[in-house]
């Protein structure tokens, strides 16, 4: 779908991108990771010529974008881009935000555009917000609208530049789950993100950018579990993320709590925080959530250990297992007692429970 050859981008005499050559195939889900300032956004913007490369060639579906004869506006319609800050039209209703591109750029009738818009809003869970204005929505909702608006142009590829970075942590899940669903539908995507669990789950290929280019790339297992080069290793090690995937109700919960404990110890957490993480994990995965519904447990904290976030994903019906009145009062009160905040969301038949302290 896209071929990049010897791409270079400089600002004055500062070479942001020294040399990138790569191919993006239809159906690939590529996540770009790397330290800030390494040119991830610049690379993404060169793909649809929001930035003009200093030299090199970008080809999209066989057309050379650098060729003056290529109609860049036609091509941009096929490459949707979602930004960190949503970029919705503030003075337009949500419905108008979705219709305007379709009617003005694709020449679709208003009635047809509205029909498509309602379908897309429903798909991102915002069917009831068609007449609201961007100001009335939360960050997570705005970003879902931005994604729907992008889809309204029927793109062949979607580019995401840190789509969850401007969001409150409780809203990250609602946006990543929409992107995950797009991935499952076969949409070709390139995503710049710091959400490593998400990257691990959703991507077919990870590109680690550093030193002005693609420093290392490969399937997620290779980059996250076994990176070959020094800087990739150092970057992966800095991320304090524990992730445990559960594939059947017969999973080994002793291994789960053990590995979690090892992870905490390796990262020098205090005894009390290790106990809390293990206790919450145990109450949720052994008592409160039916075994067969469990999908994954992840645990994150920032380098300064100012807060801790334990996330459990489980299937089944829409339910916050810490809320619904039923038995297991003790387990619930243990979790609620430790947490400073609990949030629950449900989409795509998946519950996401986030416990923070
Ligand atoms: P990343 O997305 O990986 O954080 P960027 O692509 O945003 O990195 O930026 C890479 C480098 O290029 C940064 O040092 C940034 O300051 C510089 N840069 C980005 N855009 C411009 C610009 N328009 N003019 C000058 N320097 C820029
Ligand atoms: Mg950036």
């Amino acid at each position: 779908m896209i071929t990049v050859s010897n791409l270079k981008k400089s600002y004055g005499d500062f070479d942001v991108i020294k040399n990138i050559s790569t191919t993006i195939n239809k159906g690939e889900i590529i996540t770009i990771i790397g330290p800030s300032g390494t040119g991830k956004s610049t690379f993404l913007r060169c793909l649809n010529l929001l930035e003009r490369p200093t030299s090199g060639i970008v080809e999209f579906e066989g057309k050379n974008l650098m060729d003056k004869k290529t109609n860049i506006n036609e091509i941009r319609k096929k490459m949707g881009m979602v930004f960190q800050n949503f970029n919705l039209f503030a003075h337009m209703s949500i419905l108008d935000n979705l219709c305007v591109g379709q009617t003005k750029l694709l020449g679709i009738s208003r009635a047809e555009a509205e029909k498509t818009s309602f379908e897309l809003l429903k798909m991102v869970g915002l069917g009831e917000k068609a007449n609201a204005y961007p100001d009335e929505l939360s960050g997570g909702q705005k970003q879902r609208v931005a994604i729907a608006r992008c889809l309204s142009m029927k793109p062949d590829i979607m580019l995401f530049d840190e789509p969850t970075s401007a969001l409150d942590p409780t809203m990250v899940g609602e946006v990543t789950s929409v992107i995950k669903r797009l991935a499952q539908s076969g949409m070709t995507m390139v995503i710049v993100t710091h959400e490593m669990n998400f990257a691990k789950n959703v991507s077919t290929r990870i590109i680690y950018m550093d030193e002005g280019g693609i420093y290392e790339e490969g399937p997620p297992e290779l980059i996250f579990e076994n990176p070959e080069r020094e800087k990739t290793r150092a970057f992966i090690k800095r991320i304090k993320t524990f992730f445990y995937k559960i594939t059947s109700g017969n999973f080994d919960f002793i291994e789960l709590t053990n590995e979690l404990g090892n992870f905490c110890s390796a990262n020098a957490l205090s005894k009390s925080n290790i106990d809390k993480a293990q206790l919450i994990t145990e109450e949720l995965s052994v008592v409160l959530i039916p075994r067969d519904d469990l999908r994954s447990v992840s645990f994150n904290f920032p380098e300064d250990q100012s807060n801790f976030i334990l996330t459990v994903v489980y299937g089944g019906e829409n339910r916050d297992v810490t809320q619904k009145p039923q038995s297991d009062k003790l387990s619930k009160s243990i979790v609620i007692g430790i947490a400073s905040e609990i949030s629950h969301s449900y989409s795509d038949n998946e519950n996401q429970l986030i416990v923070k302290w």
Side-chain angles (χ1 to χ4, degrees):
M1 187 173 275
I2 299 181
T3 309
V4 178
S5 319
N6 300 310
L7 176 76
K8 184 177 166 188
K9 175 71 189 178
S10 313
Y11 294 109
D13 52 14
F14 176 43
D15 299 334
V16 178
I17 294 175
K18 294 193 181 115
N19 190 347
I20 290 185
S21 297
T22 193
T23 306
I24 298 167
N25 298 306
K26 192 166 167 13
E28 272 199 288
I29 297 145
I30 298 175
T31 300
I32 302 178
I33 60 172
S36 63
T38 44
K40 302 182 296 298
S41 297
T42 305
F43 176 58
L44 219 53
R45 296 163 67 86
C46 283
L47 292 181
N48 65 0
L49 251 54
L50 283 178
E51 293 285 355
R52 205 169 170 82
T54 308
S55 63
I57 294 174
V58 179
E59 278 176 296
F60 177 71
E61 293 175 344
K63 290 205 178 74
N64 180 354
L65 303 197
M66 314 300 284
D67 191 334
K68 295 231 158 57
K69 280 179 260 156
T70 304
N71 185 339
I72 277 302
N73 289 328
E74 279 306 311
I75 286 183
R76 282 215 189 100
K77 286 182 208 163
K78 298 184 181 175
M79 303 169 105
M81 184 140 178
V82 175
F83 303 88
Q84 189 174 332
N85 293 315
F86 329 124
N87 292 7
L88 297 178
F89 303 118
H91 61 289
M92 288 186 192
S93 71
I94 299 308
L95 183 62
D96 288 343
N97 262 279
L98 265 73
C99 287
V100 64
Q102 298 182 71
T103 53
K104 293 243 162 83
L105 301 173
L106 300 182
I108 289 171
S109 73
R110 173 77 193 188
E112 186 73 16
E114 282 192 7
K115 191 166 162 268
T116 304
S117 302
F118 277 117
E119 276 163 21
L120 289 169
L121 284 175
K122 238 186 260 166
M123 195 199 102
V124 299
L126 295 170
E128 291 173 346
K129 297 290 184 190
N131 295 316
Y133 279 78
D135 268 358
E136 301 166 65
L137 303 187
S138 73
Q141 291 173 329
K142 278 186 220 172
Q143 193 60 300
R144 285 186 280 151
V145 170
I147 294 171
R149 185 179 61 176
C150 223
L151 289 169
S152 74
M153 300 301 288
K154 304 191 172 62
D156 292 345
I157 183 169
M158 299 264 282
L159 311 175
F160 292 88
D161 193 358
E162 300 200 22
T164 60
S165 293
L167 302 178
D168 187 274
T170 57
M171 294 171 189
V172 169
E174 65 192 68
V175 171
T176 52
S177 74
V178 166
I179 301 176
K180 204 152 82 184
R181 191 151 9 130
L182 276 180
Q184 284 157 354
S185 76
M187 175 64 78
T188 311
M189 307 200 277
V190 183
I191 308 161
V192 175
T193 186
H194 294 291
E195 294 293 324
M196 295 300 152
N197 285 333
F198 167 65
K200 217 185 256 184
N201 272 331
V202 82
S203 317
T204 54
R205 174 161 45 132
I206 307 282
I207 291 180
Y208 173 73
M209 276 184 70
D210 209 332
E211 296 184 347
I214 297 178
Y215 182 84
E216 185 167 354
E217 62 181 316
E221 312 82 65
L222 180 84
I223 300 297
F224 287 112
E225 314 297 341
N226 222 344
E228 280 167 9
R229 299 191 65 196
E230 190 189 325
K231 286 198 173 172
T232 322
R233 279 202 193 143
F235 182 80
I236 297 297
K237 241 174 77 184
R238 268 203 305 277
I239 309 159
K240 312 293 187 205
T241 291
F242 170 83
F243 181 71
Y244 193 93
K245 200 175 171 71
I246 295 166
T247 48
S248 93
N250 292 322
F251 79 100
D252 183 348
F253 69 91
I254 296 179
E255 180 187 75
L256 163 61
T257 39
N258 255 336
E259 283 191 11
L260 178 62
N262 292 343
F263 166 82
C264 293
S265 310
N267 287 296
L269 290 203
S270 68
K271 171 93 172 52
S272 128
N273 279 318
I274 298 177
D275 287 346
K276 286 177 184 169
Q278 287 183 318
L279 202 54
I280 294 177
T281 302
E282 244 173 71
E283 298 306 340
L284 289 171
S285 67
V286 180
V287 185
L288 292 170
I289 301 168
R291 286 284 191 98
D292 286 324
D293 288 348
L294 279 164
R295 304 266 164 85
S296 68
V297 174
S298 51
F299 180 52
N300 312 281
F301 55 90
E303 209 145 8
D304 66 4
Q305 300 188 12
S306 52
N307 57 75
F308 301 89
I309 304 167
L310 196 123
T311 308
V312 181
V313 174
Y314 51 101
E317 59 186 19
N318 181 357
R319 73 203 186 293
D320 176 349
V321 292
T322 63
Q323 287 301 320
K324 217 171 170 186
Q326 51 182 37
S327 53
D328 308 320
K329 278 217 173 91
L330 179 62
S331 292
K332 268 183 246 167
S333 65
I334 289 174
V335 176
I336 292 166
I338 293 172
S340 56
E341 187 185 327
I342 295 179
S343 59
H344 170 262
S345 61
Y346 187 75
S347 68
D348 234 5
N349 301 316
E350 255 181 19
N351 293 277
Q352 177 168 272
L353 187 70
I354 301 174
V355 181
K356 290 190 199 172
W357 73 94

